[in-house]
Amino acid sequence: MEEKGFLAKITQLNIEDGATKWSSPSNIALVKYWGKREQQIPENASISFTLNNCKTITNLTYTKKENKTDFNFDVFLDGEKKDDFKPKIETFFNRVSKYLSFLKDFHFKIETENTFPHSSGIASSASGMSAIAACLMSIDKQLNPEMSEDFILKKTSFLARLGSGSACRSLEGDLVVWGKHEIIKGSSNLYGVNFPFETHKNFKNYQDTILLVDKGEKQVSSTIGHNLMHNHPFAQQRFIQANENLEKITTILQNGNLDQFIALVESEALTLHAMMMTSMPYFILMKPNTLEIINKIWAFRKATNSKVCFTLDAGANVHVLYPESEKVSVLQFIKNELVAYCQNGHYICDSIGKGLEQL
Ligand code: DP6
């Protein structure tokens, strides 16, 4: 599907005031998206596990308004008005207004809450932007009842991408690929698609325990980090490597080889941070405790032959990934040896989830 397929059709505004509510999860990338072009086009393909417990729940109330020249909306987080969220949503509305005909016809009240603790340092842009995209598509669906379910899902992902790149991978489970790649049939730079192959049973209900090493605001936002990939000395090589890794992990996810999975996923995490450290200006998002945890995971693996591994997003927190069959032993290891490195001893137990849900 091309971009123009998503453009808004001229339709009569024949819908009344109303409200719609969706929940959408976060996701954790195995092969990372880091580097993008204009209009949120990724420089390489990426793949992620959809999560189950880390979710944003958004209730969108829409009321017709007289003045149709501007966007008009208010944002609330946990019942509290959040004017500092408005610029990001204004940018999002500007980007998606070509694709949704009704944005200037309504006043929107966006009420949002997260299932994970506020300011846990967990990126909420993926869950937050995908939840808003789903709410807006509920309205679009009323205006364009002929749209197929498949098209609606694609357009929701397309809109979510324009809010935050990784958000386009949050709508479905278990594994979603975003970015054009020759071995993933139907893949696109414009939206995420379900991993199109049968996944080995080793990866069913895979576990992700998120160790909250640093709950503070990130020093460098993802958007700035992505931009630093322009003129980055290793950028082109990195984009080639990521696409190669996507091909490799496609095989691994089917054959269930956990040692190969560990090597690829940990290398991706460290390469992401290596890109940050070799940007100009350079920056480091890992904290001393991030490294302590990584070393403990390596020691535990060596001592026990466990298949536990780690990945990182653009921050200091560590995602500990492991098969469901090791749930008891790895959780015990986390409690015994890793919790000490978490801020206030906090961590979140999550696992693979199914994506969007209408409430
Ligand atoms: C490191 O999707 O947050 O988590 O498109 O600028 O909103 P924007 O960036 P964002 O970047 C996520 C980067 C990452 C890797 C990944 O999720 O693939």
Side-chain angles (χ1 to χ4, degrees), residues 72 115 131:
N72 198 305
T115 56

Side-chain angles (χ1 to χ4, degrees), residues 27-29 31-34 36 40 46-47 88 123 125-126 161 163-167 169 178 218 222-224 226 272 276 312-314:
N27 65 73
I28 181 66
V31 173
K32 309 288 181 181
Y33 146 60
W34 198 246
K36 61 178 167 182
Q40 300 280 98
S46 57
I47 183 167
K88 192 154 185 174
S125 67
R161 179 194 105 248
S164 179
S166 55
R169 297 188 313 235
W178 169 39
K218 277 186 278 188
S222 289
T223 304
I224 293 172
H226 284 291
L272 168 71
M276 300 173 188
L312 306 167
D313 56 18

